[in-house]
Structures are given as structure tokens and as C-alpha cells.
Amino acid sequence: MEYRTLGLTQIEVSRLCFGALTIGPLQRRMSVADGAHVIRSALDAGVRFIDTAELYGTYEQIRVALRTAPHDVVIATKSYAYERQGVEASLKAAREGMGRSVIDIFLLHEQESMHTLRGHWEALEGLLEAKQKGDIRAVGISTHHVEAVKVAAVLPEIDIISPLINVQGIGIQGGSLRDMEDAVTEAVGQGKGVYAMKPLGGGHLIPRWNEAFSYLLDQLNLDAIAVGMKNASEVRRNVEFFSGSRSSAWSALEESRQLHIDDWCSGCGKCAAVCSSRALSIVDAQAVVDPERCVFCGYCGAACPEFAIKVI
Ligand code: SF4
Ligand code: SF4
């Protein structure tokens, strides 16, 4: 396994980051024991970086996995909080939920631009104060938007950026793949630690698995990539790839994902409002998904009051 220091932080991570969204209630809905088991198999294989979020509902799985971790693990989490009080509550939930006195990386979730960052500035100040006190080691943003990467690249308050980027540009908002590449290059040049999310475009790039990871690891030379993994064999295959194997024999034969919408959907539109990929629309009082745009993040499921939409 290769390890890197994230930008100018002192935080060393494995380039393979365990993306915890997959095991949680928004996607595979694994039990605490089963989710913790998959995480542990990754930690045992040398993974030292876990990416989660308050929204993902995976703190308990992580806490159980960390109880007997064979080495230190860097944890990144995220909050949608706008204000100081909200971000303090998010930090408390993360520390208690995962049983950690210090959270290594705390990100403002799904930022879009300077405008949204301004709207979250009080939360950012709360995170910076927590960093000052030693409760957090680094502060940053996660985003699908080119503009947010550009802005964060030059903000001295930001240490870490987790952008959506993949070889086909699936899910990138506010610009092309080339625009995102330029923004990421600028961020790296400014000393930001950059780790990618959605390397397989939510599953669309599974047939190009090899090429998709090589693009981020070798071509863009990113510090790390968050990869969702749901069982020990996926962990093993990814660990081998990130440890230097680039064999074409590793092309994955995964089952494909789908976004399922139940017929009791009321057409309220709350799911469409949170979909930053703009993959949902309301037609004849029913949510309808554009499968080409959906990156299967499951965030719409968390917003649905009827429990009518989920990734399967
Ligand atoms: S939030 Fe749920 S009920 Fe509302 S439109 Fe979306 S799927 Fe339907
Ligand atoms: S439709 Fe739902 S699962 Fe698909 S990208 Fe939008 S929020 Fe994510």
C-alpha cells in the first residue's frame, strides 16, 4: 500500500481511502457488525484512511472497526451545518459516535461556490476554532462543483478538498472534466490535500475500473481516492491495485446499481432539491431519474419523507 501526506498537512494517509457511504443506510444498509467487518478487512490490509459523513450514518460501524484497529487510522467526516452551533453538534456527534477525541479531517459537505461558502462561514469558523483547540487536525470541503474547488484552492482557511472527479467527468457540476482537472491542479499547487470521490462515477465506470483508478492515481497523481467497498473480496482487489498491480485481469464484474423509486412517491420534489447531479425531475407527480446523470450517492433517499427512493 502506498501512503501520502495530504498536501501541506502533517496527515499521512493510504492512497486507498475506505469510502464508508457504501456500507451505510443510504446504500447497502449493512448491519453494524457486517459493516465493521468490511472496514476491518481494509484496515488489516493496510488501509489507513476512512471517509465518512454525518449523513452516511456509519459512525457506529467505524467505531466498532476501530476498537481493534491494527494501526492509526485517519478519519475524514462532513457536516451540512451552516452555523457554529450546528457544526459544534456535528463535531460532538462525530467524536462520540466514532469514539475519537480528535477528528483528523472535518469537511463542509457539498459546497458549490464562494456564495455557499459564505453562507457556511460561521460553521467554517467553528471548525477553525476546533482545529485551534486540537479537536480537529484539518479543515476543508467536499464538492461536485468546479467553482468550489477553484475558490477553496486559494482560501488559506482550507487544508483539504475532496472533489468529485473521474475519468469521464460523470457528475461534475459547473464545468467540464478539463475544467475540474485544472481546478484540482491549482489546488494541489496551492498545497491543498486533495482526495477524489466517485472514481467510478457511482458505478457507471465499473467496466473501465482499471483505467478509472489509473487516471486518478497515475495521471492526476492525487494523494488519495475514496472508494466504496462492500465486501472482503472488493477490499482485496482494490488493495492489490493500489499496491502497484495494474493488471488488466482486474477488470471488475460487479452487479450494476439502480435507483429505485416506489410507486407511493408523492411527487413532493424533496429528493430532486438535494440532488446535485440534477438527475431527478418530477413528472406527473412522480420522481423520475435520469440514469445517465445519477451517481448513486443515495443522498436523495435521506431527503425523502416517504422512504420511497433508494439505491439498490
Ligand atoms: S422525496 Fe420521496 S416522495 Fe418526494 S418526490 Fe422524491 S421520492 Fe417522491
Ligand atoms: S438521483 Fe439520488 S442517488 Fe442519484 S445522484 Fe441524485 S441524489 Fe444521488
Side-chain angles (χ1 to χ4, degrees):
M1 177 64 62
E2 257 190 282
Y3 300 91
R4 288 272 186 97
T5 301
L6 282 171
L8 296 179
T9 71
Q10 303 289 309
I11 301 175
E12 187 180 84
V13 295
S14 51
R15 294 188 82 190
L16 176 57
C17 170
F18 187 97
L21 171 64
T22 304
I23 60 172
L26 299 182
Q27 292 198 354
R28 298 288 162 174
R29 297 175 275 280
M30 293 172 75
S31 68
V32 170
D34 289 349
H37 181 73
V38 182
I39 297 172
R40 256 314 289 271
S41 68
L43 302 185
D44 289 345
V47 171
R48 295 186 180 206
F49 188 16
I50 299 173
D51 173 81
T52 186
E54 194 167 19
L55 178 77
Y56 299 172
T58 54
Y59 287 167
E60 200 180 351
Q61 290 164 320
I62 293 170
R63 181 177 55 76
V64 171
L66 291 179
R67 257 193 326 229
T68 52
H71 44 64
D72 288 345
V73 181
V74 170
I75 304 286
T77 190
K78 318 178 192 80
S79 165
Y80 284 113
Y82 286 85
E83 296 159 347
R84 188 176 303 265
Q85 211 179 350
V87 89
E88 283 170 2
S90 290
L91 177 56
K92 184 168 183 283
R95 293 169 81 191
E96 290 178 1
M98 291 186 278
R100 306 265 293 201
S101 56
V102 176
I103 301 297
D104 302 284
I105 299 167
F106 216 111
L107 308 178
L108 296 174
H109 207 156
E110 287 205 279
Q111 292 303 301
E112 297 180 6
S113 62
M114 191 63 224
H115 180 66
T116 61
L117 262 164
R118 273 201 206 97
H120 291 74
W121 204 259
E122 207 186 293
L124 180 59
E125 285 177 340
L127 291 179
L128 293 170
E129 274 172 32
K131 182 180 162 189
Q132 194 79 24
K133 284 196 283 180
D135 295 339
I136 293 172
R137 296 171 68 198
V139 168
I141 65 159
S142 71
T143 184
H144 297 188
H145 290 255
V146 172
E147 187 59 31
V149 178
K150 283 188 188 168
V151 167
V154 294
L155 276 179
E157 291 85 354
I158 300 294
D159 307 306
I160 304 284
I161 303 172
S162 179
L164 182 154
I165 184 165
N166 53 63
V167 69
Q168 208 175 303
I170 295 167
I172 290 173
Q173 300 300 312
S176 63
L177 173 58
R178 183 62 200 272
D179 296 333
M180 186 60 103
E181 286 174 346
D182 290 346
V184 163
T185 302
E186 167 71 6
V188 171
Q190 294 283 346
K192 309 302 180 189
V194 177
Y195 71 97
M197 66 160 122
K198 300 278 179 283
L200 299 177
H204 294 284
L205 296 173
I206 284 170
R208 297 168 64 190
W209 185 86
N210 227 306
E211 180 193 355
F213 284 161
S214 296
Y215 163 75
L216 296 169
L217 288 175
D218 305 332
Q219 202 172 320
L220 288 190
N221 196 23
L222 294 184
D223 289 333
I225 308 174
V227 184
M229 293 172 252
K230 64 181 182 300
N231 56 46
S233 70
E234 283 186 11
V235 168
R236 199 166 45 247
R237 190 190 54 217
N238 290 332
V239 166
E240 287 198 22
F241 192 91
F242 278 69
S243 299
S245 166
R246 297 288 191 272
S247 161
S248 57
W250 288 105
S251 38
L253 291 169
E254 298 286 338
E255 73 267 34
S256 59
R257 291 180 187 170
Q258 286 177 31
L259 190 74
H260 175 79
I261 301 168
D262 287 301
D263 53 14
W264 63 78
C265 161
S266 67
C268 69
K270 288 185 175 153
C271 52
V274 300
C275 177
S276 60
S277 297
R278 296 178 172 78
L280 288 167
S281 49
I282 306 299
V283 178
D284 296 334
Q286 278 272 315
V288 175
V289 65
D290 176 349
E292 295 300 312
R293 297 179 76 97
C294 177
V295 294
F296 305 105
C297 62
Y299 289 8
C300 48
C304 177
E306 312 289 345
F307 304 101
I309 187 166
K310 55 179 104 52
V311 173
I312 58 172

